Amino acid sequence: DVKVTQSSRYLVKRTGEKVFLECVQDMDHENMFWYRQDPGLGLRLIYFSYDVKMKEKGDIPEGYSVSREKKERFSLILESASTNQTSMYLCASSFRAVRVRLTEAFFGQGTRLTVV
Amino acid sequence: TQLLEQSPQFLSIQEGENLTVYCNSSSVFSSLQWYRQEPGEGPVLLVTVVTGGEVKKLKRLTFQFGDARKDSSLHITAAQPGDTGLYLCAGGESNYQLIWGAGTKLIIKP
């Protein structure tokens, strides 16, 4: 059974703290993604990685950084948490497409982060 | 800016009824996906459609990709409480450039 595992389901942090969200996949996928999900806004891409040590900015990278030292692990870092970063964070992974075609994205269960 | 608009945003119906949700854009997509997300979980892929006019069936769910590849619909026949969830459409050229709709929240009452 394929799996994407996020380190925490729920997290409460104080404003200004450095926050680490961890994601591990066991499917040998090349691609990994971090999204945030807010009501009425759909999923917004923060960062993605298509290979180890490679990272690319998504649509809303400000205030975030990422790390991918190993193929199976992709970490999202909030450098200095702020209340507007309160959200549901979703990690996903997928195979790299051979042609221009969407491949299946497998998602973790999400981390609901509250910044107070 | 590409946008995917889903309608309705919210739908609450009785078990056994039929329903259709829509995903519309002014842009052409090379392919489009539908995902379902249950409360407290991540989205799970239901289907990928790639050809204009394509129709795919998954048990009681029927997915259609518009002829011009700008829109898609999801039709559920005889809805069951297990169909409850948030239905998301996503379109684009690659997984790196997905455009997501805001979702349709569906509640099926027993």
Side-chain angles (χ1 to χ4, degrees):
Chain A
D1 202 15
V2 297
K3 258 200 156 165
V4 178
T5 304
Q6 294 183 228
S7 52
S8 305
R9 278 258 190 178
Y10 300 95
L11 217 47
V12 180
K13 296 292 181 180
R14 294 195 180 277
T15 300
E17 277 193 77
K18 192 168 186 175
V19 181
F20 293 86
L21 302 183
E22 305 286 343
C23 176
V24 177
Q25 52 98 0
D26 64 1
M27 295 165 280
D28 203 33
H29 286 161
E30 297 90 357
N31 301 330
M32 294 191 75
F33 307 85
W34 275 106
Y35 289 94
R36 64 177 282 178
Q37 183 177 30
D38 300 289
L41 295 180
L43 274 65
R44 292 182 292 167
L45 182 63
I46 304 170
Y47 268 96
F48 66 92
S49 168
Y50 52 87
D51 205 347
V52 176
K53 295 193 187 294
M54 306 304 289
K55 58 187 179 185
E56 295 286 344
K57 292 179 181 179
D59 300 317
I60 51 164
E62 296 78 19
Y64 304 94
S65 62
V66 290
S67 172
R68 192 161 180 205
E69 296 296 317
K70 293 185 178 181
K71 190 175 186 179
E72 67 270 18
R73 188 179 296 269
F74 193 34
S75 303
L76 178 69
I77 302 138
L78 284 66
E79 298 293 341
S80 177
S82 64
T83 54
N84 63 12
Q85 292 178 310
T86 291
S87 187
M88 169 70 88
Y89 289 88
L90 288 164
C91 174
S93 69
S94 69
F95 284 117
R96 185 179 302 145
V98 174
R99 293 192 179 86
V100 175
R101 182 196 165 99
L102 299 177
T103 58
E104 180 173 1
F106 293 86
F107 284 83
Q109 77 277 27
T111 296
R112 187 164 291 283
L113 173 67
T114 302
V115 182
V116 297
Chain B
T1 304
Q2 288 183 311
L3 284 175
L4 267 175
E5 295 189 1
Q6 288 190 242
S7 61
Q9 289 185 328
F10 180 77
L11 189 57
S12 179
I13 62 171
Q14 293 293 137
E15 180 177 0
E17 292 185 25
N18 301 332
L19 66 109
T20 303
V21 298
Y22 300 92
C23 178
N24 295 307
S25 175
S26 57
S27 303
V28 175
F29 292 102
S30 62
S31 57
L32 191 139
Q33 295 179 316
W34 284 92
Y35 287 80
R36 180 171 68 209
Q37 184 178 19
E38 297 183 17
E41 300 296 329
V44 175
L45 181 69
L46 297 172
V47 76
T48 301
V49 286
V50 296
T51 305
E54 182 175 3
V55 176
K56 279 194 173 177
K57 292 195 172 186
L58 191 67
K59 295 184 182 177
R60 294 174 295 98
L61 278 61
T62 302
F63 304 86
Q64 184 158 9
F65 201 14
D67 291 340
R69 291 186 287 123
K70 292 182 179 181
D71 53 82
S72 181
S73 63
L74 158 60
H75 182 78
I76 302 179
T77 305
Q80 304 292 314
D83 296 327
T84 291
L86 179 69
Y87 288 80
L88 295 158
C89 63
E93 300 292 325
S94 73
N95 287 60
Y96 310 143
Q97 300 163 308
L98 274 183
I99 308 296
W100 290 84
T104 293
K105 188 171 183 179
L106 177 63
I107 295 176
I108 310 299
K109 294 176 283 190

